[in-house]
Amino acid sequence: MFDVAVFGSLFLTLFVIMDPPGITPIFLGLTAGRPAKMQRRMAFQAVCVAFGVIALFGVVGHQILDYLHVSVPALMIAGGLLLLLVALDLLTGKTDEPKQTKDVNVALVPLGMPLLAGPGAIVAVILAVQDADGVGGQLSVWSAIVAMHVVLWLVMRYSLVIIRVIKDGGVVLVTRLAGMMLSAIAVQQIINGVRQVVQGA
C-alpha cells in the first residue's frame, strides 16, 4: 500500500538537498547565451542524467561504492572539487571551450551530476530504498524520486522566462551570482566530507 509518510519524508529531504529554487540562478548562469530551444533541451537532459544516476545508486548504490572501495566522504570531496572548478569558470567568465563540447558538458556535468545528483541526494536515496518495507514502501520511495525530478525540470524549464526579462546585463550578473553560490556549495561539501573523514578516523 502506498505510504504517504514515506513519500512526503523523502520528497522533502530531496527538495532541501537538491534545492530547486537555488538551482535557478546556477542553471541560468551555465546556459546563458544559448538559444531557448537548446536551453530547454539541456534542462531535460540534466534532469534525465540526474534521475539516471539517482536510480542507479538507489538500486545498486552500496554494491557500486563497495566494489570501487569508495567512501561517501570521498564522494562528497570529489563532487565539491568538481563544483569548485565550475564555479571558478562562472566567476571569471571563462568561455574558451568549444561550444558543442561545452553544451554537452553543462547538461551532464555539473548540472546532471554532481549539482542535481550529488552525494547528499545519492546517500538519501540509498538509505530510503534500504529502509522501505514491501512493495508499497518501494513504490512510495520511487514515486518521491520521480516527483522531485519533475519539479526540477519544471523549475529549470520555466526559469528561462527570467532571461527574457533581465536581458544580457542581468545574465552576466546572474552568472557571477551563480558562481559565488556554487563556490560556497562546493566548499561546504568539501568541508562536510573532510569532517566525516576526521570523525571516522
Side-chain angles (χ1 to χ4, degrees):
M1 189 173 182
F2 189 85
D3 193 329
V4 177
V6 171
F7 174 89
S9 176
L10 181 58
F11 182 85
L12 289 176
T13 299
L14 290 177
F15 191 92
V16 171
I17 293 173
M18 302 177 91
D19 190 17
I23 202 69
T24 300
I26 298 174
F27 173 74
L28 293 177
L30 288 170
T31 61
R34 295 173 175 82
K37 184 177 179 180
M38 183 178 294
Q39 289 173 320
R40 289 193 294 270
R41 187 172 72 244
M42 292 171 70
F44 181 73
Q45 288 174 340
V47 170
C48 287
V49 169
F51 179 77
V53 172
I54 290 290
L56 178 64
F57 277 92
V59 175
V60 291
H62 267 301
Q63 292 87 333
I64 292 174
L65 294 180
D66 290 343
Y67 178 76
L68 296 175
H69 304 291
V70 174
S71 65
V72 172
L75 192 64
M76 296 177 70
I77 294 171
L81 290 173
L82 179 59
L83 289 180
L84 189 58
L85 290 175
V86 176
L88 292 175
D89 283 350
L90 288 175
L91 285 170
T92 58
K94 181 181 176 184
T95 56
D96 58 356
E97 294 177 273
K99 188 173 182 182
Q100 184 59 36
T101 302
K102 186 177 180 182
D103 289 345
V104 173
N105 285 344
V106 167
L108 305 181
V109 178
L111 278 177
M113 182 180 181
L115 201 51
L116 297 180
I122 289 173
V123 172
V125 167
I126 290 175
L127 295 177
V129 170
Q130 279 189 331
D131 294 340
D133 295 325
V135 177
Q138 291 293 333
L139 179 62
S140 304
V141 166
W142 289 101
S143 297
I145 294 171
V146 171
M148 185 67 250
H149 284 81
V150 171
V151 170
L152 285 168
W153 176 75
L154 289 173
V155 168
M156 290 192 293
R157 167 68 175 78
Y158 291 101
S159 68
L160 299 177
V161 177
I162 298 173
I163 291 181
R164 302 192 191 106
V165 177
I166 63 178
K167 307 298 182 184
D168 290 343
V171 168
V172 173
L173 179 62
V174 167
T175 301
R176 300 299 182 267
L177 174 64
M180 289 190 63
M181 292 173 59
L182 195 56
S183 62
I185 292 171
V187 171
Q188 186 61 56
Q189 191 164 295
I190 294 171
I191 290 173
N192 291 344
V194 171
R195 182 181 293 131
Q196 289 192 25
V197 170
V198 172
Q199 290 175 347

